[in-house]
């Protein structure tokens, strides 16, 4: 029977550990503050922002909320980010993506101070990850490493295949798995013989954004399968990039959707905020 990796429990454990750490820092007079900026009122973004604020509250991190109208100009947003960069009371800055079409996301990400870039998207942090230096790491891939480690799954020496090469999941994931001494293959839409390549994996990480794309014929018997995808059916029930029911009998461990990778992203964001405050001491 497959071991179901419980992302909800693991993320709650991490949040509880952080809560204790934050309380101890408070006793030393250290407060942690995250600035959260949302431009426009995209409903999905509002839910994500709301969940991030809730997590801050639970852990004891102050959150400063900036809800800007859709009509905000890029110059106004840049000015706000620069002002938060200069504010010593702000440890982390998060700009909820996607931004409205009239804004250049790359420019906004570059404007955030790398020391406050708790999403780990700034090119300096991305570069640091690829050359093995310290820096903030993108939260979803960082969360997947925690899921594997806390589930007692050995990474070192394993064949890891990652399907998807996005800047926020696939690419940083590959760097993290390499750092953990896995042998890493990255696949994308131009990969030939995807099924055969995926079947080499001891650990298969799927981040392609295609509903139930990965079926049993992509999976080696006994592999560990990590499903990053999030989709919703007509009843608003979420499911992943992996056909869970189809692969379940063939894997040794698997993350469910919901309750697998999803909850880890916010937990790791909170960890990055605590790390941001510690690095400034
Ligand atoms: P993305 O930016 O759309 O990237 C998708 C990647 O999959 C691309 O590299 C693409 O290849 C590749 N791909 C697409 N179709 C493919 C195919 N048929 N065969 C092989 N590769 C294919 O997606 P993302 O931002 O990484 O997100 C992926 C999924 O994870 C989405 O469902 C998203 O909602 C979810 N997600 C979840 C979390 C979480 O917290 N759990 C966080 C982030 C994302 P090319 O590069 O060649 O186009």
């Amino acid at each position: 029977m497959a071991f179901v990796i419980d992302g909800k429990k693991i993320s709650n454990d991490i949040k509880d550990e952080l809560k204790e750490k934050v309380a101890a820092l408070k006793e030393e007079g250290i407060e942690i503050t995250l600035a959260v900026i949302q431009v426009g009122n995209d409903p999905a973004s509002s839910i994500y922002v709301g969940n991030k604020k809730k997590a801050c509250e639970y852990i004891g991190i102050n959150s400063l909320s900036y809800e800007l109208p859709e009509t905000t100009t890029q110059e106004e947003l840049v000015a706000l980010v620069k002002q938060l960069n200069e504010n010593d009371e702000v440890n982390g800055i998060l700009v909820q993506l996607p931004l409205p079409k009239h804004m250049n996301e790359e420019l906004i990400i570059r404007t955030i101070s790398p020391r406050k870039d708790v999403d780990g998207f700034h090119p300096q942090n991305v570069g640091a990850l690829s050359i093995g230096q310290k820096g903030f790491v993108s939260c979803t891939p960082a969360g997947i490493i925690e899921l594997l480690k806390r589930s007692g799954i050995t990474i070192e020496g394993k064949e890891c295949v990652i399907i998807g090469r996005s800047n926020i999941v696939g690419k940083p994931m590959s760097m993290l798995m390499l750092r953990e001494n896995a042998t890493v293959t990255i696949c994308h839409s131009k990969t030939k013989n995807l099924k055969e390549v995926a079947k080499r994996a001891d650990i298969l990480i799927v981040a392609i954004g295609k509903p139930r794309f990965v079926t049993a014929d992509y999976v080696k018997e006994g592999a560990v399968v990590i499903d990053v995808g999030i989709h919703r059916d007509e009843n608003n029930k979420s499911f992943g990039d992996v056909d869970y029911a189809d692969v379940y009998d063939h894997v040794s461990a698997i993350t469910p959707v919901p309750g697998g990778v999803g909850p880890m992203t916010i937990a790791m964001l909170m960890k990055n905020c605590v790390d941001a405050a510690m690095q400034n001491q």
Side-chain angles (χ1 to χ4, degrees):
M1 231 177 60
F3 171 67
V4 179
I5 299 173
D6 190 346
K8 199 146 194 229
K9 176 177 185 310
I10 295 173
S11 69
N12 284 338
D13 290 348
I14 292 171
K15 283 193 263 182
D16 285 338
E17 291 161 20
L18 291 171
K19 191 174 181 168
E20 265 181 41
K21 210 167 180 177
V22 169
L25 287 171
K26 265 195 188 144
E27 296 213 335
E28 292 171 35
I30 301 166
E31 291 275 341
I32 306 178
T33 301
L34 170 68
V36 181
I37 305 173
Q38 182 182 357
V39 186
N41 46 15
D42 171 59
S45 291
S46 299
I47 292 173
Y48 292 137
V49 164
N51 288 341
K52 287 167 189 174
K53 285 193 225 158
K54 253 190 245 161
C56 282
E57 207 175 300
Y58 179 76
I59 290 166
I61 294 174
N62 307 316
S63 64
L64 292 179
S65 186
Y66 296 86
E67 285 158 27
L68 310 179
E70 184 92 20
T71 49
T72 304
T73 65
Q74 179 162 293
E75 291 66 35
E76 285 167 332
L77 180 56
V78 166
L80 173 61
V81 171
K82 284 187 174 165
Q83 179 202 319
L84 294 169
N85 283 342
E86 296 301 316
N87 183 343
D88 290 339
E89 295 192 346
V90 172
N91 306 99
I93 302 171
L94 183 149
V95 178
Q96 184 64 43
L97 303 179
L99 286 169
K101 297 234 173 335
H102 64 278
M103 295 206 183
N104 177 343
E105 282 187 1
E106 205 184 304
L107 181 138
I108 301 298
I109 290 169
R110 277 177 187 274
T111 306
I112 299 171
S113 161
R115 293 173 65 80
K116 299 190 178 186
D117 166 43
V118 285
D119 260 336
F121 294 163
H122 191 287
Q124 188 172 312
N125 284 318
V126 176
L129 173 64
S130 71
I131 56 172
Q133 289 184 354
K134 271 193 167 178
F136 293 112
V137 176
S138 180
C139 300
T140 303
I144 291 171
I145 297 289
E146 283 295 316
L147 280 181
L148 292 168
K149 289 189 172 172
R150 289 178 186 239
S151 303
I153 294 165
T154 306
I155 303 175
E156 184 162 313
K158 295 284 179 68
E159 283 282 345
C160 172
V161 175
I162 299 161
I163 315 184
R165 58 173 166 182
S166 69
N167 288 342
I168 61 165
V169 187
K171 280 186 200 143
M173 191 72 246
S174 67
M175 287 299 152
L176 286 174
M177 291 305 271
L178 204 54
R179 194 164 86 179
E180 297 295 331
N181 296 318
T183 302
V184 181
T185 305
I186 311 171
C187 301
H188 46 76
S189 64
K190 306 288 184 290
T191 298
K192 299 253 190 296
N193 306 321
L194 184 62
K195 284 184 187 171
E196 286 70 27
V197 179
K199 266 200 145 147
R200 296 207 301 253
D202 302 311
I203 301 174
L204 179 64
I205 301 174
V206 188
I208 56 178
K210 297 242 152 81
R212 297 194 182 102
F213 182 91
V214 167
T215 48
D217 44 354
Y218 286 77
V219 176
K220 176 168 87 176
E221 278 306 308
V224 172
V225 174
I226 305 292
D227 188 355
V228 185
I230 304 178
H231 311 277
R232 286 190 186 276
D233 67 14
E234 58 286 358
N235 301 316
N236 209 28
K237 196 173 174 306
S238 52
F239 63 98
D241 285 348
V242 174
D243 188 335
Y244 186 90
D246 197 50
V247 307
Y248 182 84
D249 286 335
H250 303 275
V251 300
S252 59
I254 186 164
T255 57
V257 180
V261 174
M264 295 301 290
T265 302
I266 289 186
M268 300 316 287
L269 172 70
M270 295 297 109
K271 181 178 178 297
N272 280 350
C273 292
V274 175
D275 290 349
M278 308 278 277
Q279 79 178 353
N280 288 328
Q281 299 314 308

